[in-house]
Amino acid sequence: MLPFIDLKHQYGRIRKDVLEGIEKVLESTHYILGAEVQELETKLSEYTHSKYVLGCSSGTDALLMALMALDVGPGDAVFTTPFTFFATPETPALRGATPVFSDIDEDTYNMDPEKLEQAIQKVIQEGKLTPKVIIPVDLFGQAADYQKILPIARKYGLKVIQDACQGFGATCPCGKIAPSMGDIGCTSFFPAKPLGCYGDGGAVFTDDEELYKKMYSILVHGRSANDKYDNVRLGLNARLDTIQAAVLLAKLKIFPEEVEMRQVVAKTYFEELDGLVKLPVIRPGYRSVFAQFCPRSPKFHEIQDALKANDIPSARYYPIPMHLLGAMKYLGYKKGDMPIAEACAADIFALPMHPYLSKENIQKIASVIRSVVRG
């Protein structure tokens, strides 16, 4: 079976560094907030040019910490996309805020700035909620259109939390590196991410010292900056394990090279699948890290069956838009409210994507798809 994501191949490259890093942690016995966590935060800060970085326990907790730092709560509207992983709307809902969805761009699958502004204006006109935060998502590895989203946020006095859980390392025409494009950036180090650890992990990024101090406190049960037993606010137990930081330090060494390798893999996919399926669009001046490669086709069922018959795995992200999930029923959305997201969800599928995918295997994948599409 062709691997969907080849973590074993990657491990073969970094095995020595990973094992030495883990052994160092084991010898130190500093399993929680050891020196490797701070070293990782420093290197992530250098890589993204963010002033402040905090490692945490997951991308979900990163989003939750960001929302808590911005004092998001009941009566607040948090604007986001209906085409994402559930953690994006789940975290504001956990804070008692109201997720407000706006439809997506059909080519990039990311938040449509024009529809975002319409959603903000509607909430203002209704007068029931206070517009508070925008959470764009860098879906499948491409940064959202922050050059348009940020001015909208400033116009209405909103903060922006960049959900770069799939987009760490992506760049846009402004030259910034995800997740450094919003007031707070969040990422995930889930193993399948472009930069992933060997368990759960995440991080928050900001240039705002006050927000950093609040998230530093929230990270460990609302601790004081001077006394860990002086809890000054409600917080979380959201620390990044030292062993996971050691793994990430080894992976970060090869991450820039792997991003380059992902460009080659994606380019081959674009060439081989041209005319067979609807391909994702990478906007001029943007660079995706291609966390996933997700085309669309009305024949996706047949394509996936044919791929499976040839020992090629595939997946689907995301077959149910967020506004139609059972957990979001209380918001009152119905089918047809987000037509572009719903259309994408109806026929999108994901192909194997990782830096070590060979041209020959991509050609094999394309050959199977061609046989279905062209009979």
Side-chain angles (χ1 to χ4, degrees):
M1 173 74 77
L2 188 71
F4 191 70
I5 298 172
D6 198 348
L7 294 177
K8 188 173 183 179
H9 190 138
Q10 183 196 57
Y11 177 62
R13 288 190 62 191
I14 59 175
R15 184 175 185 273
K16 182 174 180 292
D17 283 350
V18 168
L19 294 179
E20 286 179 355
I22 292 174
E23 179 70 19
K24 184 179 176 183
V25 175
L26 296 176
E27 289 289 342
S28 76
T29 70
H30 293 154
Y31 307 124
I32 303 296
L33 297 181
E36 287 78 5
V37 175
Q38 186 174 357
E39 181 184 356
L40 176 67
E41 290 169 350
T42 299
K43 290 188 180 298
L44 292 173
S45 174
E46 292 170 352
Y47 185 85
T48 61
H49 308 298
S50 296
K51 288 184 181 179
Y52 306 103
V53 177
L54 277 172
C56 63
S57 48
S58 68
T60 302
D61 277 341
L63 290 167
L64 190 54
M65 287 170 60
L67 289 161
M68 293 172 73
L70 293 172
D71 299 316
V72 171
D76 292 333
V78 176
F79 301 89
T80 192
T81 163
F83 200 55
T84 181
F85 180 64
F86 184 48
T88 311
E90 179 186 32
T91 45
L94 285 170
R95 292 291 299 156
T98 301
V100 177
F101 298 108
S102 63
D103 213 348
I104 61 172
D105 176 86
E106 65 179 342
D107 292 328
T108 65
Y109 315 139
N110 279 332
M111 177 179 277
D112 183 323
E114 184 177 335
K115 293 184 175 67
L116 166 66
E117 185 162 22
Q118 291 170 0
I120 294 170
Q121 291 172 345
K122 183 180 179 183
V123 166
I124 292 171
Q125 290 167 2
E126 289 175 347
K128 297 177 181 178
L129 299 170
T130 301
K132 191 75 172 277
V133 169
I134 302 168
I135 309 182
V137 177
D138 303 341
L139 200 69
F140 304 148
Q142 179 175 199
D145 191 349
Y146 294 95
Q147 289 181 293
K148 293 182 179 178
I149 292 170
L150 289 171
I152 293 171
R154 303 303 175 244
K155 179 178 177 180
Y156 295 98
L158 309 183
K159 295 294 186 180
V160 174
I161 298 173
Q162 179 175 11
D163 182 343
C165 288
Q166 296 178 9
F168 178 82
T171 58
C172 67
C174 68
K176 290 192 174 183
I177 300 171
S180 67
M181 299 160 191
D183 296 290
I184 302 175
C186 303
T187 200
S188 166
F189 299 129
F190 183 77
K193 306 298 184 184
L195 179 63
C197 54
Y198 292 157
D200 276 315
V204 290
F205 302 71
T206 188
D207 288 340
D208 187 311
E209 185 177 8
E210 288 305 310
L211 289 176
Y212 165 75
K213 288 178 179 179
K214 289 181 75 173
M215 290 188 289
Y216 176 88
S217 173
I218 291 164
L219 182 75
V220 185
H221 299 290
R223 63 184 169 183
S224 163
N226 302 313
D227 183 350
K228 69 178 182 179
Y229 292 115
D230 180 16
N231 303 87
V232 296
R233 59 174 51 83
L234 296 178
L236 303 170
N237 178 16
R239 299 166 297 201
L240 176 68
D241 288 342
T242 309
I243 285 177
Q244 298 300 345
V247 170
L248 287 163
L249 284 168
K251 287 197 173 193
L252 190 57
K253 291 179 182 178
I254 64 169
F255 180 72
E257 181 188 354
E258 288 192 330
V259 172
E260 297 294 335
M261 295 165 71
R262 285 176 181 271
Q263 307 308 308
V264 175
V265 171
K267 183 175 183 292
T268 307
Y269 263 135
F270 281 122
E271 292 171 350
E272 295 293 332
L273 297 178
D274 185 37
L276 298 177
V277 292
K278 177 176 172 51
L279 292 164
V281 174
I282 307 302
R283 297 293 191 198
Y286 287 77
R287 191 177 211 212
S288 174
V289 292
F290 291 104
Q292 289 88 20
F293 194 89
C294 297
R296 296 173 59 190
S297 172
K299 295 186 176 183
F300 78 91
H301 279 304
E302 297 96 318
I303 290 171
Q304 287 192 294
D305 288 344
L307 291 171
K308 184 177 180 181
N310 284 272
D311 291 326
I312 300 169
S314 63
R316 296 203 65 219
Y317 309 100
Y318 294 96
I320 306 176
M322 298 299 99
H323 66 291
L324 299 180
L325 289 175
M328 296 283 103
K329 277 185 179 180
Y330 73 97
L331 296 174
Y333 290 98
K334 63 185 183 302
K335 193 170 183 179
D337 285 344
M338 305 286 153
I340 298 176
E342 292 168 30
C344 287
D347 63 8
I348 199 166
F349 64 105
L351 297 171
M353 183 67 203
H354 56 82
Y356 307 99
L357 188 59
S358 69
K359 183 175 182 178
E360 292 73 24
N361 279 328
I362 296 172
Q363 289 174 331
K364 179 182 177 182
I365 293 166
S367 177
V368 173
I369 294 175
R370 189 176 296 111
S371 71
V372 174
V373 173
R374 295 183 176 168

